[in-house]
Amino acid sequence: MTDQPARRAAELLGQARRVVVFTGAGMSAESGVPTFRDALTGLWQRYDAQALATPEAFRADPALVWGWYEWRRHAVRLAHPNAGHRAVAAIQHRVPGTVLITQNVDDLHERAGSPAPVHLHGSLFAPRCSACARPAPVSDDAEGEPVDGRRVPPPRCAHCTAPVRPGVVWFGEALPGAALDAAVEAASSCDLLLTIGTSGLVYPAAEIPQVAARLGAAVVQVNPEETPLDGVAEVNLRGPAARVLPALVDAVWEGADG
Ligand code: BJW
Ligand code: ZN
């Protein structure tokens, strides 16, 4: 890590007392989990993720949408956290009180050792009834899940028999109030926000780095591509999270253990 943006990012992280880490799908890309705006592959390639992730799609074809989420849950179960997830956990360890806010519905931050990330868009592992909202058990039987795209009728709620739905936030739905409040509060009071692997296209989540910048925090972005957040960030580190983040952590705490 020798270039100027990397040095500035290390300086900012080294000095920061209140850090927010804000992540999107690019964080898990190197674990083999496709980003949201990547083209879908295999039997799903003729579908558009943005069209499947809506309440209307679930109402129109619950088995199609449930099958897609079962397939993704299965893929995430087989995936492992990458060096970027571990670097985020190391930052949390080094700067106590660091708040991790993720748009991701996988559990790779938790499995890398990050305690209690704020999940703005829900979780693949928390299905609930589409009518009464009671939590529904999630099957641990990986072998029983589809490895390829296909329709799977959703289970029925044990209480009211309505179809169970994925516990995620679809377009047009409100984000969980407590998670959004915690994210805004953390962004409003941090001195450094790291935004990692998000296109910054989906609102209100995309406001989080903007809130931090507006209130005087430094924003550092990690992304191999340009995004609408380039102008918000003081430093843009162009590269994949699993390479850039461990280098950043090393540059700040090089030689230190733990
Ligand atoms: C790497 C990398 C590597 C690659 N390392 N980086 C017009 C203007 C503004 C807003 C709207 C509008 N029209 C409609 C809206 C609202 C809408 C919205 O924002 N739409 C936009 C698309 C325009 N928002 C909503 O509907 C939200 N709700 C809402 O507004 O409610 C209002 C309301 C209030 C009160 C009552 C009722 C309603 C809800 C948004 C929910 C989003 N949900 C999803 C699906 C979750 C479930 C699932 O996964 O299936 O969340 S959509 C999808 O996008 C998912 C993601 O969390 C989210 C963000 O995507 P992300 O993470 O940024 O991924 P990508 O793929 O976009 O980008 C990946 C990035 O990684 C890229 O930049 C790559 O370069 C980079 N990358 N490899 C680092 N190795
Ligand atoms: Zn129910």
Side-chain angles (χ1 to χ4, degrees), residues 39-126:
L40 297 178
T41 55
L43 287 186
W44 292 104
Q45 64 193 354
R46 65 196 173 88
Y47 297 97
D48 170 13
Q50 296 218 64
L52 289 171
T54 66
E56 294 77 22
F58 185 68
R59 272 196 298 274
D61 195 341
L64 177 73
V65 173
W66 183 260
W68 184 51
Y69 279 93
E70 284 287 281
W71 173 76
R72 289 174 60 200
R73 194 155 54 85
H74 181 67
V76 165
R77 275 224 176 88
L78 298 178
H80 299 286
N82 65 52
H85 294 105
R86 290 192 291 278
V88 169
I91 292 170
Q92 291 183 280
H93 179 70
R94 287 286 175 187
V95 188
T98 293
V99 178
L100 171 57
I101 303 164
T102 186
Q103 298 166 82
N104 297 344
V105 295
D106 65 45
D107 61 351
L108 296 179
H109 278 305
E110 287 92 332
R111 282 157 57 194
S114 286
V118 175
H119 277 277
L120 284 181
H121 292 160
S123 164
L124 289 173
F125 301 96

Side-chain angles (χ1 to χ4, degrees), residues 164-175:
V164 169
R165 60 160 283 174
V168 301
V169 182
W170 283 325
F171 286 111
E173 295 184 325
L175 275 58

Side-chain angles (χ1 to χ4, degrees), residues 175-244:
L175 275 58
L180 186 57
D181 288 351
V184 171
E185 161 63 26
S188 305
S189 57
C190 68
D191 45 35
L192 173 67
L193 183 142
L194 282 168
T195 175
I196 305 165
T198 178
S199 60
L201 293 172
V202 175
Y203 283 80
E207 298 235 18
I208 298 300
Q210 298 173 23
V211 166
R214 213 159 39 231
L215 293 175
V219 173
V220 172
Q221 175 170 235
V222 178
N223 199 309
E225 307 290 339
E226 292 182 6
T227 81
L229 295 171
D230 281 22
V232 173
E234 174 180 337
V235 181
N236 283 291
L237 300 176
R238 295 260 184 259
R243 175 169 62 72
V244 170

Side-chain angles (χ1 to χ4, degrees), residues 27-35 38 75-76 79-80 82 85 108:
M27 183 83 235
S28 299
E30 290 152 280
S31 294
V33 180
T35 68
D38 278 341
V76 165
H80 299 286
N82 65 52
H85 294 105
L108 296 179

Side-chain angles (χ1 to χ4, degrees), residues 129-134 157-162:
C129 174
S130 59
C132 73
R134 285 183 171 79
C157 172
H159 180 75
C160 77
T161 77

